[in-house]
Structure formats: structure tokens, C-alpha cells
């Protein structure tokens, strides 16, 4: 048995304030020596986990027992000790003593015991003030019952002393660790404060310096910060108001204000160090205790020389920029003024163009109306000798050619002033293409060319767009193609490009190609091909045309939502491509075209219609009078709007043909005054105008006119308008009557023979042939009328073929008369 005094002495030695690892080493030796253990472990709690901190063992193989101990680095207890026994002691704070662990007790199935065949085990808690401080685990594998009662009593005494010693050692180590960490933290803080390029000074509540970093000393030029209560603070540090020689007020310093509990920022200070001036920015922050009393004042300040220089540069730049902006603003204002002047000049120019357009339309189309109108009247005469008939045909053709050229010039003028608009209608595009094929087939045959029209099955039959403009575009391209092609072919290809539908409203893009094998266009001429009044070298050789056709055609295509392009090779031909946007329509939306009627007389049993002709041009009045007089209308005429009103008040005509541009009073004012009366509402007023501007139509109709017709007009236009507005009924020639006789005439047309043409005057047959080759519809109709004076059935049969565009059949019959 171990002497109790010895144990107490050992315990007291252990309880001294020694470093924890030394304590553990000493404790391990004492426990193993006094308990009779072969091996032992000291287990402590570290961050909520029980780990082995020290171990010891007795080497029995030596001459004398040698005790070896080790201080470990927090080794986990897994696989080193019996976990179940350790957990039991942790949970119960009770000791476990096993005399023969493999044979007795509750831990015989512990894997550690089975593996190591452990005999004697002692596991006891180290408890201080009811708190588990650590665990001592001892083993003896040499004998059973190694841990006797006497040794247990010693261990119990040692355990309580060990618990106190471990706790004291831990507290001592923790204090030392805290002091070390505090020193390291302070060192790091000092390094940080010294490393930052900002001066920092900390003062206590009385204004005495507590801390000053090196940057602050460098900026202030002093080793310490004197008390901020001193009235000489600004003088000591030479603090001035920025940009002046005036001392900075001490009471306004950030340090003073921070001690008053204020947070401040200031950048209007300067430090004068001899000839050196340093602008600084300061921040003052008070530090309060739990009673909201200021305990410290922290002041930070930094040299802002570079910032001030940058601000100066920025200010200089801003001044320069403002100057430049001001100059540019003046320039822009001048440009705006010049632009406004240019816009005014452009508006005046457009107005001048519009005025020119209106004047040209009136001055050119009015005499053309007379020329073509009287030519129509003369062509109806049956007493005109053949040679005069030929002269009349020349006049008519020349007038039509002149009208075409005038229309092109006026179309270009309308395009330039933005007056061109789309007049969309629903029509049969297949029929349009068929008509064009028949129209140009004769000219192609006459030149020995192959004319090919090809459309894909996807192209719809009925579309909605401007039929007149589309027809004009295609006629222009086909005319150029046939004109400049001497051999080979001219092809027209039509296909559906895209199709979109939105809310049952169809919109599609149709693609057109017109290709020829003609002379082609030089590459240097392609760029200017669509310019107004520009003709290619080949075009100049023909010495005809205005050079406006392609310009107008492309503008019409653009108006219809597409674009036109061309590719060409000299000597191999050209290809013109364009797209247009069209709407989708149903068959029911297409209005069937009525055949052209030849008016012979008025139907009987009708009122005696009173017609007033108002025009300042005597020739134009005579044209209408000579056209209407033979039919039995009552006619009067007036040369201006004032005369028209006076005649209307006394005569009350059924219909008034009203010219628009007249002296004294124009047609619009006269129409307004007539329609303003009750009886004026009963009369129809149809405007006759030479204007080509679309907006003029809206002005005319808004003035009260019931309709309008442009000059030059066709006699059919006059008769149809009178039928529409006052119900005049006519007797037509048999050519257009859909009767059994017409059917007979159509049958007659199919069995025409060359002999019947041979019986006609040769000059008349030649005129008919030339008219067909030139696609001159007016001249064709004139020739048929002359033939009717000699052989009416033959004329009717020829008319049927002409109305169905069977020109090739007519040419073959005429050619057969020469063979």
C-alpha cells in the first residue's frame, strides 16, 4: 500500500501552476506508478469532443520498470480505447473497474476488449465541482485484479487533485493564450494602422494623445498631438483654410467636434510646411461608452493633393468642354437655322413643283383633250376619205404618244413631291398577265422573238393592290425587253415568295422577273440605270423615250412595298427583278369588267335632258357639245363659274360638266354655291379636271361634285358618267349586245377567210395591220369602224377577235391576202 502522505505530496505538486503539457506528463507518471497499471491514457474534452491528450506505459522487459509518458496532440479515442466504457463514464460520472474484462462485467462484447484480450481495466472520471474535467483510463494485461481497493482509494484522491490541477492549468493556459492573441492582435492592428496611407490620431476624453501613426506624424510634422483644448492648435500645426492665408478655426476642427460628440468631414484644410502646402481631408468620429459619454475621439486625415490636382484638371476640362459645348451649340443653332431655311426653301420648291405640276397638267392635258377628243369625233364620221382617215390616225397616234410622255413627266413630278399614292382594287392577276401576253405577242412575233409567260401554281388568281401601276411597270419592262432584243426570247416569270396571315387578313409577296436575250447593259451604266432622264447607250441609239420609264417603274414598285433590281451582261441580255406586297381577296370581291359600248343614240321615251357645259376653253366646250348634240341633249355653255350659276338659276340643268380651273370664279366655288341651294342638290355636277394630283380629287368631291373625270377623256367615260348619275339610257351598236346575233358574230369570227380581207381597200387593211403591230387600240377601233361602213358583218367579226386579243389570227389572215 502506497503511503497516503506520499500521495498527498504528489497531488500538491501536481496542483502547482505549471504549463498544461508538463502537468499532463507528470500526472500520467504519478497515476501509472501509484495505480499499478501497465498502460494509461488521460482523456480531456476539446471543443465538445473527447480526445487523448497524454499516454504512459511501463516497460517490464528492462532490468527495472521504466515509466514512459507522452503528451499527445488530441488523438481521437476511436480504435485506441473501448468506446463503450468511455461513453459510460462520460454519461454517469462513475468509475468502471474490471478485474477480468474478457470474462466478467457488462463490457465483454466490447470490440476493443475482444481484440486485445484485456484483463484488468480501470476507467475513472476527473470531476471538479460536479463538472467532468477529464477521464483516466488504465490497463493491466499481465494479471487479473490488478487494481486493488487500496489503489482505488489512492486513485480517487489523486483524481480529485488531478481535476483541480487540470482546471487550473487550463485556465492558466487560456489566459496566456488570450494574452498572446491580444498581443498579436495589437501588433496586427499597429501594422495595419501604420500601413494605411491615412493619418490616424486617437485622443482621450480630456484631449490627451492616445495613439498617433507615422503617417499622421509625417503630415503634421510633430511627434505627438497636443491637447485639442489648446487655443494654439491651428498655430502649432499651421492649419489654414484652403486657398487662403487665414488660420482654420480651432473650434471647427474635426478633433474638437468629435470630442463634442459630432461626426464630421472636412476637405477645406491646408497644412503649410514652409513653402509646401498640403491640402488634407479629415474625418472625426466620437467613441462613446455605455452611458453615451465620449471616451475617445478618432481623427483620420489624408493628403488629397493628387485629388485636388485631378479636380483642377477636371474643372479645367469641364470649362474647356463647356466652352466647346457652347461653341458647338452655337454651331448647331446656326445649322438648325440653316436647316429650317433649307426646309422652307424645300417646301417652297415643292410648292413650286406642285404649282408647276398643276399648271403643266392643265396647260398640256387641256389641249391634248381637244386634240384626242376631236380625233375621236372625226373617226366616227363615215364621210372621211381614206387618205384623211390615215392622217387622222397619225394625229391620234402622235397625240397618244405625246400623252404618254406627258404622263411620265407628270408621274415623275408627283413622285418627287410625294404626291403619288396607291389606288388599290381587287382584280384578276392571271387575266392581267394573259392580257399582257396577248398584247406583246404580236410585237414579239413581228421581230421573230419567243415570248414566254410562266407563273407558278401558288400565285393566287385574285389580289388586292394598284392594278394600273402594276400594269404600267410590267408594260414598261416588257416594252424595253422587246425593243432591245433582236433575237432569242423575252420571258416573264411570276412566283409566290412569302405569305402571311393575321386575323384572316392575307398578305403576300409576289416576285416578278422579266428576262431578255438582248444587247445587255454595260456595268458602268447599271448604277445610273434608274436615274431620271438617263438612257443607256442602246437606248440612245433608238432615239425614242424620255428616260423616265425605269425611274417611274421602280418608284411604283417601292410604293407597292417592294424593290427592283437588275443584273445584265453585254451581248447576253438582262434580268429585272422586283417584289410587290398584295392582299388576298376572294372571287366575290372581283367586279366583272363591262365590255366597251359604242353609243349610237338615246333610247326613246326619256326626259329631255338639260346639260350645261362649263369650261373657259372654247375648244373643250365645243368637244362636249359636238359629242352630245347629235344624241339630242339640250345643251348650254358657260365660260366661268359665275356664268354657270346665272344659267343654273334660270335653266336648272339635270347635269353640269364643270371645269375646275377658270377665271372670274373657279369650278370648286361655283359647285359649292350651287350645292348650297335646295334645288342644287337635285342636279348632278361632274368635274372635268386636267390635274393629276390625287389630293385634288378629295378637294373636288368635298366641294360637292358627284364625280370627276380627268382630261383627256374618252367618249365612253362621258356616256357612262351620265348614265350613272342621271340615268341616261343609250342605244348601242350591235357589236356589244350580248344577243343571239353576237353569238352568230363570234361564230363568224372563227370562220373568217383571207378573201374577205382581200375585198377591202388595201390602205385600210394596212392601217389595221399597223395598228395591231403597234398595239394601238384606238386606231384598231377606228379601222374596224371604217370597215363597218363597207362590210358591217366583217367588221363585227374582226371586233370579236380584237376584243378577245386574238391579234395573231388577224395578222395571219391579213398576211394571207398578200401571198
Amino acid at each position: 500500500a502506497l503511503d497516503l502522505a506520499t500521495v498527498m505530496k504528489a497531488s500538491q505538486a501536481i496542483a502547482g501552476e505549471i504549463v498544461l503539457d508538463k502537468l499532463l506528463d507528470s500526472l500520467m507518471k504519478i497515476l501509472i506508478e501509484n495505480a499499478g497499471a501497465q498502460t494509461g491514457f488521460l482523456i480531456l474534452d476539446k471543443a465538445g469532443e473527447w480526445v487523448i491528450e497524454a499516454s504512459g506505459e511501463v516497460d517490464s522487459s528492462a532490468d527495472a520498470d521504466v515509466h514512459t509518458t507522452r503528451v499527445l496532440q488530441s488523438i481521437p479515442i476511436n480504435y485506441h480505447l473501448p468506446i463503450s466504457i468511455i461513453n459510460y463514464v462520460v454519461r454517469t460520472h462513475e468509475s468502471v473497474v474490471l478485474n477480468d474484462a474478457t470474462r466478467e462485467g457488462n463490457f465483454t462484447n466490447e470490440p476493443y476488449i475482444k481484440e486485445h484480450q484485456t484483463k484488468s481495466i480501470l476507467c475513472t472520471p476527473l470531476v471538479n465541482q460536479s463538472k467532468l474535467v477529464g477521464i483516466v483510463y488504465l490497463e493491466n494485461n499481465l494479471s487479473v485484479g490488478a487494481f486493488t481497493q487500496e489503489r482505488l482509494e489512492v486513485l480517487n484522491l489523486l483524481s480529485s487533485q488531478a481535476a483541480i490541477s487540470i482546471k487550473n492549468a487550463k485556465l492558466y493556459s487560456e489566459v496566456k493564450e488570450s494574452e498572446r492573441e491580444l498581443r498579436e492582435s495589437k501588433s496586427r492592428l499597429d501594422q495595419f494602422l501604420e500601413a494605411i496611407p491615412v493619418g490616424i490620431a486617437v485622443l482621450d476624453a480630456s484631449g490627451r494623445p492616445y495613439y498617433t501613426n507615422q503617417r499622421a506624424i509625417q503630415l503634421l510634422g510633430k511627434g505627438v498631438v497636443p491637447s485639442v483644448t489648446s487655443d494654439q492648435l491651428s498655430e502649432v500645426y499651421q492649419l489654414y483654410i484652403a486657398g487662403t492665408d487665414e488660420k482654420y478655426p480651432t473650434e471647427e476642427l474635426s478633433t474638437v467636434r468629435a470630442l463634442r460628440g459630432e461626426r464630421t468631414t472636412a476637405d477645406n484644410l491646408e497644412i503649410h510646411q514652409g513653402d509646401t502646402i498640403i491640402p488634407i481631408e479629415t474625418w472625426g468620429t466620437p467613441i462613446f461608452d455605455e452611458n453615451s459619454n465620449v471616451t475617445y475621439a478618432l481623427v483620420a486625415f489624408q493628403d488629397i493633393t493628387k485629388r485636388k490636382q485631378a479636380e483642377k484638371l477636371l474643372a479645367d476640362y469641364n470649362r474647356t468642354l463647356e466652352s466647346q459645348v457652347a461653341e458647338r451649340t452655337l454651331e448647331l443653332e446656326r445649322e438648325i437655322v440653316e436647316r429650317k431655311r433649307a426646309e422652307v426653301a424645300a417646301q417652297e420648291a415643292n410648292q413650286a413643283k406642285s404649282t408647276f405640276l398643276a399648271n403643266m397638267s392643265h396647260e398640256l392635258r387641256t389641249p391634248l383633250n381637244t386634240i384626242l377628243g376631236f380625233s375621236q369625233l372625226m373617226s366616227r364620221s363615215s364621210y372621211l376619205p381614206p387618205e384623211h382617215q390615215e392622217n387622222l390616225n397619225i394625229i391620234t397616234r402622235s397625240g397618244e404618244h405625246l400623252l404618254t410622255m406627258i404622263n411620265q413627266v407628270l408621274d415623275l413630278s408627283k413622285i418627287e413631291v410625294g404626291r403619288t399614292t396607291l389606288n388599290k382594287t381587287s382584280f384578276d392577276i392571271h387575266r392581267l398577265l394573259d392580257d399582257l401576253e396577248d398584247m406583246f405577242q404580236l410585237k414579239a412575233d413581228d421581230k421573230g422573238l419567243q415570248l414566254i409567260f410562266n407563273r407558278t401554281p401558288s400565285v393566287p388568281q385574285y389580289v388586292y393592290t394598284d392594278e394600273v401601276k402594276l400594269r404600267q411597270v410590267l408594260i414598261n419592262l416588257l416594252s424595253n425587253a422587246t425593243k432591245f432584243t433582236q433575237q432569242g426570247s423575252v420571258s416573264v416569270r411570276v412566283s409566290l415568295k412569302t405569305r402571311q396571315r393575321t386575323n384572316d387578313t392575307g398578305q403576300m409577296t409576289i416576285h416578278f422577273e422579266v428576262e431578255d436575250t438582248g444587247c445587255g447593259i454595260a456595268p458602268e451604266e447599271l448604277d445610273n440605270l434608274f436615274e431620271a432622264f438617263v438612257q443607256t447607250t442602246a437606248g440612245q441609239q433608238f432615239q425614242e423615250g424620255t428616260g423616265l420609264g425605269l425611274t417611274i417603274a421602280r418608284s411604283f414598285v417601292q410604293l407597292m412595298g417592294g424593290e427592283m433590281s437588275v443584273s445584265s451582261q453585254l451581248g447576253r441580255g438582262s434580268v429585272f427583278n422586283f417584289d410587290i406586297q398584295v392582299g388576298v381577296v376572294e372571287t366575290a370581291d372581283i367586279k366583272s369588267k363591262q365590255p366597251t359600248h359604242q353609243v349610237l343614240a338615246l333610247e326613246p321615251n326619256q326626259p329631255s335632258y338639260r346639260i350645261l357645259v362649263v369650261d373657259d376653253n372654247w375648244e373643250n366646250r365645243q368637244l362636249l357639245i359636238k359629242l352630245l348634240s347629235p344624241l339630242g341633249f339640250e345643251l348650254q355653255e358657260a365660260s366661268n363659274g359665275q356664268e354657270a350659276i346665272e344659267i343654273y338659276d334660270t335653266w336648272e340643268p339635270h347635269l353640269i360638266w364643270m371645269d375646275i380651273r377658270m377665271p372670274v370664279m373657279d369650278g370648286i366655288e361655283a359647285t359649292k354655291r350651287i350645292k348650297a341651294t335646295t334645288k342644287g342638290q337635285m342636279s348632278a355636277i361632274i368635274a372635268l379636271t386636267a390635274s393629276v394630283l390625287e389630293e385634288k380629287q378629295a378637294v373636288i368631291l368635298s366641294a360637292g361634285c358627284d364625280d370627276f373625270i380627268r382630261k383627256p377623256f374618252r367618249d365612253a367615260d362621258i356616256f357612262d358618267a351620265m348614265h350613272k348619275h342621271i340615268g341616261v339610257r343609250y342605244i348601242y351598236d350591235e357589236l356589244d349586245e350580248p344577243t343571239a346575233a353576237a353569238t352568230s358574230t363570234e361564230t363568224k369570227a372563227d370562220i373568217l377567210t383571207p378573201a374577205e380581207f382581200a375585198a377591202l381597200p388595201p390602205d385600210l387593211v394596212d392601217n389595221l395591220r399597223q395598228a395591231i403591230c403597234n398595239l394601238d387600240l384606238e386606231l384598231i377601233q377606228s379601222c374596224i369602224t371604217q370597215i363597218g361602213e363597207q362590210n358591217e358583218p366583217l367588221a363585227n367579226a374582226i371586233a370579236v377577235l380584237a376584243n378577245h386579243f386574238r391579234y395573231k389570227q388577224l395578222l395571219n389572215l391579213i398576211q394571207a391576202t398578200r401571198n
Side-chain angles (χ1 to χ4, degrees), residues 487-643:
Q487 60 181 2
S489 63
V490 174
S491 301
V492 178
R493 293 182 289 272
V494 186
S495 60
L496 180 64
K497 191 173 183 180
T498 58
R499 182 169 186 157
Q500 299 176 341
R501 285 190 173 274
T502 305
N503 298 330
D504 297 329
T505 300
Q507 188 73 18
M508 63 182 63
T509 301
I510 298 182
H511 180 70
F512 294 83
E513 291 184 9
V514 179
E515 182 178 9
D516 64 68
T517 58
C519 58
I521 305 169
E524 62 271 13
E525 294 180 322
L526 287 175
D527 291 339
N528 301 322
L529 185 63
F530 295 104
E531 296 296 326
F533 303 107
V534 173
Q535 289 185 314
T536 62
T537 303
Q540 294 171 2
Q541 293 174 356
F542 277 84
Q543 295 184 354
E544 62 180 57
T546 60
L548 297 176
L550 288 177
T551 303
I552 295 171
R554 185 178 68 166
S555 297
F556 284 173
V557 168
Q558 291 172 343
L559 199 61
M560 290 186 282
E563 189 55 68
M564 180 178 289
S565 61
V566 60
S567 59
S568 183
Q569 286 184 304
L570 275 176
R572 302 191 65 177
S574 305
V575 181
F576 284 83
N577 298 271
F578 69 91
D579 301 331
I580 62 169
Q581 300 290 325
V582 301
V584 180
V585 296
E586 303 297 333
T587 309
D589 297 328
I590 305 298
K591 295 182 180 179
S592 59
K593 295 184 178 180
Q594 298 298 323
T596 302
H597 297 283
Q598 181 73 31
V599 175
L600 300 180
L602 298 179
E603 283 189 6
N605 303 320
Q606 292 190 80
S608 179
Y609 291 105
R610 296 182 299 277
I611 309 299
L612 174 59
V613 179
V614 185
D615 200 312
D616 63 321
N617 187 283
W618 180 84
E619 290 83 0
N620 281 331
R621 297 201 305 271
Q622 290 304 303
L623 174 59
L624 280 173
I625 289 172
K626 289 182 179 295
L627 178 65
L628 301 177
S629 179
L631 300 180
F633 291 104
E634 294 183 32
L635 300 170
Q636 285 201 37
E637 55 184 293
S639 61
N640 57 65
Q642 185 62 49
E643 291 181 9

Side-chain angles (χ1 to χ4, degrees), residues 297-574:
L298 187 149
V299 180
F301 44 93
Q302 67 173 348
D303 183 347
I304 56 173
T305 301
K306 292 183 178 180
R307 193 179 84 185
K308 290 296 183 179
Q309 292 172 348
E311 289 176 353
K312 182 179 182 302
L313 290 175
L314 181 59
D316 293 342
Y317 173 77
N318 286 336
R319 283 193 295 271
T320 303
L321 184 61
E322 288 174 0
S323 176
Q324 293 175 348
V325 168
E327 292 177 2
R328 182 55 181 160
T329 301
L330 290 176
E331 291 178 3
L332 290 175
E333 290 176 351
R334 287 193 294 267
E335 289 178 4
I336 291 172
V337 171
E338 292 299 325
R339 187 175 300 172
K340 288 182 178 180
R341 290 176 181 173
E343 289 176 355
V344 171
Q347 291 174 358
E348 292 175 351
N350 283 338
Q351 183 62 40
K353 282 186 178 181
S354 299
T355 303
F356 168 79
L357 185 61
N359 291 334
M360 286 293 294
S361 176
H362 186 271
E363 297 302 325
L364 294 177
R365 297 171 74 90
T366 296
L368 271 177
N369 182 61
T370 304
I371 294 171
L372 295 175
F374 277 102
S375 297
Q376 292 179 64
L377 287 176
M378 292 177 67
S379 66
R380 299 164 68 92
S381 173
S382 59
Y383 305 104
L384 196 65
E387 63 272 15
H388 291 172
Q389 181 68 52
E390 177 62 24
N391 294 337
L392 182 61
N393 291 337
I394 293 173
I395 294 173
T396 302
R397 287 197 301 272
S398 298
E400 294 286 353
H401 180 67
L402 180 59
L403 178 62
T404 300
M405 296 182 66
I406 291 173
N407 284 339
Q408 286 186 345
V409 174
L410 295 178
D411 282 339
L412 179 63
S413 299
K414 287 197 296 182
I415 291 169
E416 289 180 343
V417 298
R419 299 295 184 87
T420 302
T421 58
L422 288 179
N423 296 314
K424 294 185 179 181
T425 59
S426 300
F427 64 96
D428 186 340
I429 193 173
H430 290 187
R431 180 174 180 178
L432 170 64
L433 296 173
D434 292 339
D435 290 349
L436 292 174
E437 184 175 7
D438 290 335
M439 182 183 299
F440 284 92
Q441 186 66 59
L442 296 175
K443 191 172 184 179
D445 291 344
D446 192 51
K447 298 185 68 173
L449 303 176
Q450 185 180 10
L451 181 64
I452 303 171
F453 271 70
N454 182 25
R455 62 174 179 263
T456 61
S458 59
V459 176
Q461 183 171 358
Y462 304 108
V463 297
Y464 181 72
T465 188
D466 193 322
E467 179 183 10
V468 175
K469 288 183 175 59
L470 176 58
R471 181 188 295 270
Q472 186 171 343
V473 170
L474 290 172
I475 287 176
N476 179 278
L477 296 179
L478 283 167
S479 296
N480 287 344
T482 54
K483 183 197 315 185
F484 297 118
T485 304
Q486 304 304 319
Q487 60 181 2
S489 63
V490 174
S491 301
V492 178
R493 293 182 289 272
V494 186
S495 60
L496 180 64
K497 191 173 183 180
T498 58
R499 182 169 186 157
Q500 299 176 341
R501 285 190 173 274
T502 305
N503 298 330
D504 297 329
T505 300
Q507 188 73 18
M508 63 182 63
T509 301
I510 298 182
H511 180 70
F512 294 83
E513 291 184 9
V514 179
E515 182 178 9
D516 64 68
T517 58
C519 58
I521 305 169
E524 62 271 13
E525 294 180 322
L526 287 175
D527 291 339
N528 301 322
L529 185 63
F530 295 104
E531 296 296 326
F533 303 107
V534 173
Q535 289 185 314
T536 62
T537 303
Q540 294 171 2
Q541 293 174 356
F542 277 84
Q543 295 184 354
E544 62 180 57
T546 60
L548 297 176
L550 288 177
T551 303
I552 295 171
R554 185 178 68 166
S555 297
F556 284 173
V557 168
Q558 291 172 343
L559 199 61
M560 290 186 282
E563 189 55 68
M564 180 178 289
S565 61
V566 60
S567 59
S568 183
Q569 286 184 304
L570 275 176
R572 302 191 65 177
S574 305

Side-chain angles (χ1 to χ4, degrees), residues 216-367:
I217 295 173
Q218 292 172 4
L219 288 174
L220 295 176
K222 302 292 179 179
V224 294
V225 178
S227 173
V228 296
T229 58
S230 171
D231 295 334
Q232 304 298 318
L233 185 62
S234 293
E235 285 75 5
V236 171
Y237 289 102
Q238 297 296 301
L239 298 175
Y240 292 84
I241 299 176
T244 71
D245 292 330
E246 183 179 350
K247 291 290 185 177
Y248 200 92
T250 300
E251 65 273 8
E252 294 298 323
L253 290 172
S254 297
T255 309
V256 177
R257 296 179 64 182
L259 288 172
R260 294 204 301 261
E262 301 177 18
R263 293 179 180 271
T264 60
T265 300
D267 62 353
N268 58 341
L269 281 80
E270 289 178 350
I271 297 176
H272 292 195
Q273 297 178 357
D275 296 333
T276 303
I277 297 176
I278 304 174
I280 65 171
E281 182 177 14
T282 67
W283 301 270
T285 303
I287 299 174
F288 301 95
D289 61 13
E290 65 274 8
N291 297 320
S292 300
N293 296 318
V294 176
T295 57
Y296 294 96
L298 187 149
V299 180
F301 44 93
Q302 67 173 348
D303 183 347
I304 56 173
T305 301
K306 292 183 178 180
R307 193 179 84 185
K308 290 296 183 179
Q309 292 172 348
E311 289 176 353
K312 182 179 182 302
L313 290 175
L314 181 59
D316 293 342
Y317 173 77
N318 286 336
R319 283 193 295 271
T320 303
L321 184 61
E322 288 174 0
S323 176
Q324 293 175 348
V325 168
E327 292 177 2
R328 182 55 181 160
T329 301
L330 290 176
E331 291 178 3
L332 290 175
E333 290 176 351
R334 287 193 294 267
E335 289 178 4
I336 291 172
V337 171
E338 292 299 325
R339 187 175 300 172
K340 288 182 178 180
R341 290 176 181 173
E343 289 176 355
V344 171
Q347 291 174 358
E348 292 175 351
N350 283 338
Q351 183 62 40
K353 282 186 178 181
S354 299
T355 303
F356 168 79
L357 185 61
N359 291 334
M360 286 293 294
S361 176
H362 186 271
E363 297 302 325
L364 294 177
R365 297 171 74 90
T366 296

